[in-house]
Amino acid sequence: MPTLEEAQKEIIAEFSEAADWEERYQMLIEIGDELPVLAPELKTEDRLVPGCQSRVWVVPEEKEGKLFIQADSDSAITKGMIALLLRVFSGRTKEEIKLASLEFLKEIGLDKHLSMSRRNGLYSMVNKIRSF
């Protein structure tokens, strides 16, 4: 498993190959399509991320001091965003998650190219993960 920093660098490298933002949005959708389907019984109200325009469920499980996360969304773009966060955060210790820099979000341009409501939702997802 790559380190947290390596995972972020891999994402930056992938997105740097995109020619424009339309292509980056398509990449987000494809990344989201790769997420395993979350079982319907796990899609409960207490697992919803507050502050998201779309419905996003985040399911944590702690094993051997590391947090493993499953997630799903009813929106293709949002599902891609949570998939990126899982690539960076899932399988890490709580301390790593708490201290992680989120520079990769700026590096790939998500902070500039998302609508205000999607950007707020993205940071709500980060906050939900960090709250575990």
Side-chain angles (χ1 to χ4, degrees), residues 98-116:
K98 182 178 137 186
L99 298 175
S101 160
L102 298 175
E103 286 300 310
F104 81 100
L105 297 173
K106 292 177 184 167
E107 290 281 333
I108 65 175
L110 278 182
D111 63 325
K112 287 188 277 185
H113 293 281
L114 292 175
S115 67
M116 179 64 87

Side-chain angles (χ1 to χ4, degrees), residues 21-128:
W21 259 95
E22 188 172 316
E23 195 172 322
R24 286 182 182 204
Y25 279 126
Q26 187 58 43
M27 287 176 71
L28 272 176
I29 291 168
E30 290 169 7
I31 289 166
D33 286 344
E34 294 172 11
L35 268 183
V37 175
L38 194 61
E41 63 271 13
L42 295 176
K43 293 181 179 181
T44 58
E45 290 296 316
D46 62 314
R47 293 183 170 125
L48 279 172
V49 176
C52 283
Q53 189 175 18
S54 304
R55 294 173 58 87
V56 182
W57 298 269
V58 178
V59 182
E61 182 179 357
E62 192 170 351
K63 293 181 193 172
E64 299 177 9
K66 294 185 178 183
L67 192 63
F68 293 88
I69 308 162
Q70 298 178 70
D72 200 358
S73 176
D74 61 0
S75 161
I77 296 283
T78 305
K79 192 170 184 170
M81 293 187 313
I82 194 68
L84 287 179
L85 294 177
L86 295 187
R87 284 176 56 183
V88 171
F89 291 131
S90 190
R92 311 288 175 198
T93 65
K94 291 178 182 182
E95 190 69 14
E96 286 177 299
I97 292 169
K98 182 178 137 186
L99 298 175
S101 160
L102 298 175
E103 286 300 310
F104 81 100
L105 297 173
K106 292 177 184 167
E107 290 281 333
I108 65 175
L110 278 182
D111 63 325
K112 287 188 277 185
H113 293 281
L114 292 175
S115 67
M116 179 64 87
S117 60
R118 279 219 168 103
R119 189 169 41 241
N120 288 341
L122 175 64
Y123 287 101
S124 292
M125 288 183 256
V126 170
N127 291 336
K128 180 77 169 181

